[in-house]
Every structure is written in C-alpha cells, then in structure tokens.
C-alpha cells in the first residue's frame, strides 16, 4: 500500500540512521560518546523539582489542566519578557504555553497554513521549522541562515519569485544548528521588511539564555512594531535543563496567538498542572539557575574547541547555544556528513549529528552537542585524534577519501 499523503512528504529521518548505528555499536560493547542529540544531561535545579513535588500533593492539580497555560504561568512568562527584554506582554492575549517550542511551532503551522502557502525558511535549520509547514500542506523556499548583509536581498528575491507571495518567515537566532547570533539592528531590518510586505515572522528563541560572549541575544519583539507581525517561541528545556518536562511558550501578535490557542484547544489539555506550577516558579526565580547552566556550557565549549583543535580538528567557537557547527575535515568532506558521521561511530566511538539532517546546505558540516561532561569531551578528542591520524592507512581499501558526492 502507498504511504499516506503527509507521510510521503517527509524524507527519511537522517538521524535515525545514525541512531541505529549507535545502538548497534553499544550492543556490541562499544563505549559511544554521544555528542549527537541536543538532549541536556544536567539535572533540573532542585528548587524546581521541589516545587513540582509540592504541587503534586494537591489532588486538585491532578485534574485536566489548561491548554493555554494556567494564569500564573502566563503571568510569569510575561514578567520574564519584561525583565529580560523590556517587552510588555498581555498574559491573557499575547502568551500561550506550549508543550515545548517544537509542538508550538508545529501547531502554529497547522493554525495559519493553507495548502500551497509559501514559507521562507533558513537552510540549514532545525527540522520542525520546515517540516511543520510541509506537513500542513505548505511549500518551503530556502533562504540563507547567516544574519548578514545578504539576508534582506535574499528575502526580496523570495518575495519576487514566489507565487503566491510568502505567508511567513522563519527566524532562529541563536541558531540551531549553526550557533549564529542576530543583532537588534538585524531584527529591525527584518521587521521593516515584513511589515512592508505583510509577512508573518515566527522567531525561535529557544537558546536566548545560552550565550558566552557577555552580550545577551535580543528578542525580535524589542523592535518597535514587531508585535504587529511577529510571534516568538521559547523553551524551558535548555534554559532550566527541563527537556523531558515539555514546557515552552509562544508570545507576541494577538491574532496569531489566538489562532494557535484555538488549534491547541482541540488537541491537548496542556501540560500536567504541577509542571506548570514548577515552571512558573522557575521563571519567577532570581536567575542563578540560568547562570549556572550557562557557565557549564561555556566551560564545555572551551574544552571542546581546545581539545578537538589539538586532535587536529579546528572547530569555530560558538558564541551561543549548546552546539558547535563544525566543518568536516577537508579530507573527508567529499563523503558528506552522513557517511562521515557513520565513520566516527564505527572508528572513533563518537556520535554526532550529520549536517544534512538540517538541510542540504548543511552537508559540509556536523553538529556537536555539548551534552557530555568535560572528561568525556576530552576522551572524544583522544578518540578522534587516533582516528584522524590513522584514517588514510586504515580506510584506504574501504572508502575513497577523494570521492566526489
């Protein structure tokens, strides 16, 4: 039987091939150092766990919750935006809680997309940015991921050559996977373009608190007039080491938030109420938990760049996020990111995420996640040094390192 229509529109999940190889290697006894999935290994701060335990003792919290988010949680998110960005939000009309930013993005696509609608999406980018719209019947037009002086001209070409005119523009800074960071001046130019061309902006700000150069990444909603066209998605997964709790937010334009809220009301009853209570407590905290998480990732980043560099693989130091976007070493680049990632599992006991999984323009890179401690990162570097120094000798009869894709 043929695949269902929406399933047919999705390509094979690239990361699954790496996951199968990783599982097979572990089953055979290999000690795989997993730097692939962006799955935070740090424990959720104890104060947040304690608040969850306190709330769960109240049997009233065991009932259905609120799909939109309990009022206290929405107020806490609005207060966070006021403190962090100087952005005033109405918690009743401009904030909705989501089951992580991924669910929020997917359901926003469901809410606003008609079949054939065109969406401008960076390449490379986090997969849900594109495939949320593809599953909703939309069409994706790729634009550059780098927030430089070529970005607006690329948007202009996208509008000029798209029929129908693009519905929405996806932004993701700090970026997963590239770790690029956007400036407030960049956002001002993008907002002016979107307002002029009546294009919706959907900004993914999941990594706003994971930054290393002392300059906090801005919110697009800091730009005057952005609220007229933009919605921003945030997540507690990385900021508070709460990935399994599935708690995020969409904030911004009232019409768009209303559409997302209405779709969600048909699909879920929201996160378990004690999770929402604990999340509100985290957002209302003094910020020390956030600073501690940021400091851990900064040290891991420094160890990664230093140890991998000594191993013979120079990796640019990311200014933000929990990822490094690493160019594949020249001698292996012709293999492509998926085959290179497989080699690392098989011959170095290191798992990474192939860049092709984030878009065709990511195929010369791999993404390294800072989800192992410093000792394990140094061990990965030693494994890589051994692999890189012996690859030509060991692999000459297996693969051609000069092959062209």
């Amino acid at each position: 039987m043929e695949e269902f229509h929406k399933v047919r529109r999705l390509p094979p999940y690239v990361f699954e091939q790496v996951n199968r190889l990783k599982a097979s290697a572990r089953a055979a006894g290999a000690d795989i150092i997993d730097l692939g999935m962006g799955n935070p290994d740090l424990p959720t701060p104890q104060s947040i766990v304690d608040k969850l335990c306190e709330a769960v003792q109240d049997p009233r919290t065991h009932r259905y919750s609120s799909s939109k988010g309990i009022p206290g949680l929405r107020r806490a998110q609005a207060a966070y935006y006021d403190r962090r960005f100087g952005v005033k939000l109405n918690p009743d009309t401009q904030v909705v809680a989501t089951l992580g930013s991924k669910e929020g993005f997917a359901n926003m696509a469901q809410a606003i997309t008609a079949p054939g609608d065109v969406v401008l999406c960076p390449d490379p980018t986090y997969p849900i940015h594109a495939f949320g719209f593809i599953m909703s019947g939309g069409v994706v037009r790729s634009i550059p991921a780098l927030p430089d002086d070529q970005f607006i001209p690329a948007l202009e070409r996208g509008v000029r050559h798209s029929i129908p005119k693009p519905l929405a523009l996806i932004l993701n800074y700090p970026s997963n996977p590239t770790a690029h960071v956007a400036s407030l001046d960049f956002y001002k130019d993008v907002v002016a373009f979107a307002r002029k061309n009546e294009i919706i902006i959907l900004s993914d700000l999941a990594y706003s608190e994971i930054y290393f150069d002392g300059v906090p990444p801005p919110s697009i909603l800091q730009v005057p007039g952005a609220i007229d066209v933009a919605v921003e998605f945030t997540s507690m997964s990385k900021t508070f080491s709460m990935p399994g709790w599935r708690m995020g937010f969409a904030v911004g334009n009232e019409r768009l938030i209303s559409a997302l809220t209405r779709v969600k009301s048909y699909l879920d009853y929201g996160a378990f109420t004690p999770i929402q209570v604990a999340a509100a407590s985290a957002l209302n905290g003094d910020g020390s938990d956030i600073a501690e998480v940021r400091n851990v990732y900064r040290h891991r980043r420094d160890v990664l760049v230093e140890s991998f560099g000594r191993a013979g693989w120079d990796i640019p130091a990311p200014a933000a996020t929990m990822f490094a976007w690493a160019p594949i070493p020249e001698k292996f680049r012709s293999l492509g990111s998926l085959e290179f990632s497989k080699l690392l599992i098989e011959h170095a006991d290191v798992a990474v995420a192939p860049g092709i999984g984030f878009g065709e323009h990511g195929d010369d890179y791999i993404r390294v996640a800072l989800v192992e401690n410093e000792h394990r990162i140094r061990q990965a570097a030693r494994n890589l040094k051994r692999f890189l120094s012996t690859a030509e000798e060991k692999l000459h009869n297996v693969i051609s390192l000069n092959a062209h894709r």
Side-chain angles (χ1 to χ4, degrees):
M1 296 177 64
E2 285 190 31
E3 290 279 14
F4 295 109
H5 171 69
K6 289 191 176 182
V7 176
R8 282 203 309 271
R9 300 199 75 196
L10 299 176
Y13 195 53
V14 169
F15 303 116
E16 185 56 34
Q17 297 184 49
V18 175
N19 290 340
R20 282 199 301 268
L21 193 59
K22 180 173 62 180
S24 177
R26 282 178 168 161
D31 177 22
I32 301 296
I33 301 171
D34 193 351
L35 305 176
M37 184 178 179
N39 190 4
D41 64 311
L42 301 175
T44 304
Q46 190 60 45
S47 60
I48 302 174
V49 176
D50 290 344
K51 179 58 70 170
L52 171 75
C53 294
E54 175 189 323
V56 83
Q57 297 302 319
D58 183 349
R60 291 174 299 177
T61 68
H62 302 175
R63 307 181 72 182
Y64 288 128
S65 192
S66 168
S67 174
K68 186 178 181 177
I70 60 175
L73 177 60
R74 287 183 278 113
R75 287 195 298 267
Q77 175 68 350
Y80 163 76
Y81 257 76
D82 192 7
R83 292 192 311 271
R84 172 69 165 79
F85 303 113
V87 172
K88 303 286 187 183
L89 295 169
N90 184 330
D92 294 323
T93 60
Q94 295 176 320
V95 179
V96 61
T98 63
L99 304 179
S101 57
K102 187 174 183 179
E103 175 268 324
F105 238 96
N107 279 327
M108 180 63 83
Q110 287 273 25
I112 68 176
T113 311
D117 276 345
V118 176
V119 176
L120 303 175
C121 184
D123 183 347
T125 195
Y126 188 53
I128 195 62
H129 296 156
F131 290 109
F133 285 93
I134 289 172
M135 285 188 286
S136 301
V139 177
V140 169
R141 181 184 179 93
S142 294
I143 55 173
L146 188 64
D148 60 10
D149 58 5
Q150 297 303 307
F151 193 86
I152 296 297
L155 296 186
E156 291 171 343
R157 290 192 299 273
V159 169
R160 191 162 57 244
H161 298 295
S162 295
I163 299 175
K165 183 195 75 175
L167 167 75
L169 163 65
I170 310 300
L171 298 178
N172 176 211
Y173 304 108
S175 169
N176 176 12
T178 68
H180 293 141
V181 179
S183 68
L184 194 56
D185 284 340
F186 169 82
Y187 283 143
K188 288 177 181 176
D189 291 342
V190 173
V191 168
F193 179 88
R195 287 167 59 91
K196 176 183 176 182
N197 291 279
E198 299 182 324
I199 293 175
I200 294 164
I201 299 174
L202 302 178
S203 171
D204 186 344
L205 195 65
Y207 295 90
S208 61
E209 299 295 355
I210 311 299
Y211 59 90
F212 311 123
D213 60 4
V215 181
S219 161
I220 196 169
L221 297 179
Q222 290 175 247
V223 177
I227 201 79
D228 296 335
V229 292
V231 163
E232 196 155 63
F233 297 83
T234 57
S235 168
M236 302 192 72
S237 296
K238 280 72 179 180
T239 303
F240 293 97
S241 299
M242 296 171 64
W245 298 56
R246 306 314 302 135
M247 180 54 60
F249 301 92
V251 306
N253 178 268
E254 290 188 11
R255 177 170 175 255
L256 294 170
I257 293 298
S258 175
L260 173 58
T261 302
R262 185 170 181 182
V263 166
K264 280 177 57 60
S265 71
Y266 282 90
L267 298 176
D268 69 70
Y269 285 107
F272 186 35
T273 297
I275 290 177
Q276 297 193 47
V277 171
S281 174
L283 288 167
N284 289 327
D286 62 7
S288 58
D289 291 332
I290 299 174
E292 186 175 341
V293 168
R294 185 186 304 129
N295 197 45
V296 169
Y297 285 127
R298 179 189 293 110
H299 285 300
R300 290 182 180 182
R301 177 204 62 168
D302 293 345
V303 168
L304 177 81
V305 172
E306 181 268 332
S307 62
F308 277 41
R310 284 193 290 103
W313 190 356
D314 292 328
I315 295 179
T321 77
M322 55 187 291
F323 306 112
W325 187 236
I328 298 173
E330 185 64 38
K331 72 168 67 173
F332 299 97
R333 200 161 297 167
S334 62
L335 298 175
S337 59
L338 179 57
E339 293 306 315
F340 180 67
S341 298
K342 291 178 180 179
L343 284 182
L344 292 186
I345 293 175
E346 294 171 340
H347 299 280
D349 292 339
V350 174
V352 297
I356 189 67
F358 303 97
E360 64 175 297
H361 294 293
D363 204 19
D364 287 339
Y365 297 80
I366 57 95
R367 192 194 69 179
V368 185
L370 304 173
V371 292
E372 293 270 13
N373 63 41
E374 294 175 23
H375 170 75
R376 293 283 281 174
I377 291 172
R378 293 187 190 280
Q379 179 61 52
R382 289 192 290 271
N383 293 0
L384 286 165
K385 183 175 183 178
R386 188 165 55 249
F387 165 69
L388 293 172
S389 63
T390 61
E392 289 197 66
E393 175 187 338
K394 288 185 175 181
L395 301 177
H396 72 279
N397 61 342
V398 179
I399 59 172
S400 171
L401 296 184
N402 295 316
H404 293 287
R405 285 174 291 194

